[in-house]
């Protein structure tokens, strides 16, 4: 608590009392702390590839340039580290965009089956590479919904990309759109992947939180995918849940309130 004391004075008697204001600053402090952590995380995430790039560039200028096979490898590392930084900065931009324009969704009537099949199409190369099979099902009674198509595309891309990243070769992914008990649209992405240990589940939506940093990095992850997805879903007035079991698989469900046709924003 922050306490402010103001004395009450009487002209002839001096101080006769005080007004104490107790202000609960827990939330403000927590916000400030998470902001500090975020800046520290971003700095660290950017510093790591930059340090790598610097040392490989130095090695090249100190002689590796004259050994073509070695030089090729070093240039390859520099390129992939640069790509990582671009991904990270792109993700950060997405986050800040949804932080600042919470309510400015551009809702349009979207055909759900078409939207889900297009997501799968965008990943057809990775899916084929890992021999992962995908099924898409949309409930008969819920064929369309009023959604910000760009936003939800990004949510689905992040979730399907995770499902592929964390599923071993030959696995499968099921994508379904149904109406849940609360009358909301529920889009679920279920995989037969490595799963998430129970102890990590509560923190999984935090920015930069990963179960296995090295694995996520190797897969090209930034640790921001789920937090971006949640921001966008929240902007739609919806919520996200995740259910997972190690070595069995993961189900991520996006719940979105049904907005009547003709509504322009949340
Ligand atoms: P990343 O870029 O690391 O994938 P995300 O925010 O998308 O970041 O996910 C955070 C972490 O959650 C991942 O590093 C991974 O450990 C875990 N995770 C997310 N989706 C899945 C999934 N479908 N299966 C297993 N683990 C997952």
């Amino acid at each position: 608590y922050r306490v402010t004391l103001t004395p009450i004075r009487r002209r002839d008697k001096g101080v006769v009392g005080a007004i104490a204001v107790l202000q609960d600053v827990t939330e403000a402090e927590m916000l400030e702390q998470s902001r500090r952590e975020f800046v520290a995380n971003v700095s660290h995430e950017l510093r790591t590839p930059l340090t790598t790039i610097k040392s490989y560039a130095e090695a090249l200028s100190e002689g590796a340039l004259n050994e073509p096979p070695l030089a090729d490898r070093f240039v390859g590392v520099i390129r992939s580290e640069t790509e990582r930084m671009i991904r990270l900065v792109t993700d950060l931009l997405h986050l800040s965009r949804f932080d600042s324009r919470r309510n400015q969704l551009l809702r349009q009537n979207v055909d759900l089956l078409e939207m889900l099949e297009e997501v799968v199409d965008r990943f057809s190369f990775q899916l084929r590479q890992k021999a992962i099979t995908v099924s898409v099902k949309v409930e008969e009674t819920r064929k369309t919904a009023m959604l910000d198509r760009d936003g939800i595309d990004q949510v689905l891309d992040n979730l399907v990309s995770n499902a592929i990243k964390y599923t071993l070769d030959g696995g499968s992914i099921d994508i379904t759109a149904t109406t849940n008990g609360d009358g909301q649209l529920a889009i679920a992405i279920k995989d037969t992947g490595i799963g998430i240990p129970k102890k990590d589940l509560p923190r999984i939506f935090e920015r930069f939180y990963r179960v296995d940093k090295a694995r996520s990095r190797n897969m090209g992850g930034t640790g921001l995918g789920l937090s971006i997805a949640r921001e966008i879903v929240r902007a739609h007035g919806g919520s996200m849940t995740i259910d997972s079991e190690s070595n069995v698989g993961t189900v991520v469900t996006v719940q979105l309130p049904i907005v009547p046709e003709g509504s322009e924003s949340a």
Side-chain angles (χ1 to χ4, degrees):
Y1 285 96
R2 183 183 297 136
V3 185
T4 323
L5 274 176
T6 316
I8 303 169
R9 295 175 202 277
R10 283 260 172 81
R11 216 179 306 136
D12 44 349
K13 294 191 181 129
V15 177
V16 295
I19 300 169
V21 177
L22 278 86
Q23 204 179 349
D24 186 349
V25 290
T26 325
E27 199 176 331
E29 291 250 314
M30 275 164 62
L31 246 146
E32 178 55 24
Q33 190 188 339
S34 81
R35 196 194 60 81
R36 270 198 303 265
E37 269 171 27
F38 181 64
V39 172
N41 277 329
V42 171
S43 315
H44 176 79
E45 295 291 332
L46 284 172
R47 200 170 194 278
T48 312
L50 279 171
T51 313
T52 312
I53 290 168
K54 178 170 181 277
S55 58
Y56 279 75
E58 276 168 5
L60 281 168
S61 70
E62 281 161 15
L65 259 183
N66 302 322
E67 295 176 52
L70 198 62
D72 270 0
R73 255 187 42 218
F74 286 9
V75 170
V77 173
I78 291 176
R79 265 177 73 170
S80 70
E81 290 299 288
T82 314
E83 277 156 15
R84 168 195 305 291
M85 284 177 52
I86 293 173
R87 270 198 307 274
L88 184 66
V89 173
T90 309
D91 278 359
L92 289 170
L93 283 173
H94 282 137
L95 263 184
S96 77
R97 208 176 68 207
F98 270 91
D99 272 349
S100 55
R101 1 160 287 174
R102 283 215 145 218
N103 295 317
Q104 294 175 21
L105 298 182
L106 202 71
R107 289 192 191 256
Q108 55 187 111
N109 203 17
V110 172
D111 182 303
L112 295 172
L113 185 63
E114 189 184 292
M115 174 176 75
L116 297 175
E117 282 179 341
E118 280 176 21
V119 183
V120 176
D121 287 344
R122 286 197 286 279
F123 289 96
S124 54
F125 180 73
Q126 284 106 305
L127 288 165
R128 188 134 27 97
Q129 233 181 5
K130 294 187 78 173
I132 294 174
T133 51
V134 183
S135 81
V136 177
K137 279 200 199 88
V138 173
E139 196 179 79
E140 271 299 308
T141 50
R142 167 74 47 220
K143 288 206 162 107
T144 63
M146 292 292 289
L147 304 170
D148 179 307
R149 180 67 196 262
D150 286 345
I152 298 299
D153 267 340
Q154 166 118 48
V155 171
L156 296 169
D157 280 358
N158 291 2
L159 300 182
V160 172
S161 146
N162 279 348
I164 298 172
K165 269 193 280 186
Y166 304 109
T167 294
L168 304 180
D169 289 12
S172 63
I173 297 173
D174 291 331
I175 306 175
T176 54
T178 52
T179 307
N180 69 10
D182 300 332
Q184 294 186 318
L185 165 65
I187 302 178
I189 289 126
K190 177 171 182 270
D191 65 53
T192 57
I194 59 171
I196 301 166
K198 285 273 176 287
K199 68 168 178 38
D200 294 296
L201 276 178
R203 300 195 58 191
I204 212 72
F205 287 104
E206 284 175 27
R207 295 171 183 189
F208 295 113
Y209 193 83
R210 292 116 146 180
V211 175
D212 179 344
K213 262 207 157 105
R215 184 182 194 114
S216 156
R217 285 175 66 92
N218 287 341
M219 297 288 177
T222 59
L224 291 173
L226 283 178
S227 31
I228 291 172
R230 191 169 64 169
E231 286 293 327
I232 299 171
V233 170
R234 280 184 173 170
H236 276 80
S239 60
M240 275 176 76
T241 49
I242 190 160
D243 195 13
S244 188
E245 199 174 328
S246 286
N247 302 318
V248 176
T250 302
V251 190
V252 183
T253 311
V254 174
Q255 285 100 358
L256 296 163
I258 301 297
V259 171
E261 228 171 292
S263 317
E264 286 301 306
S265 59

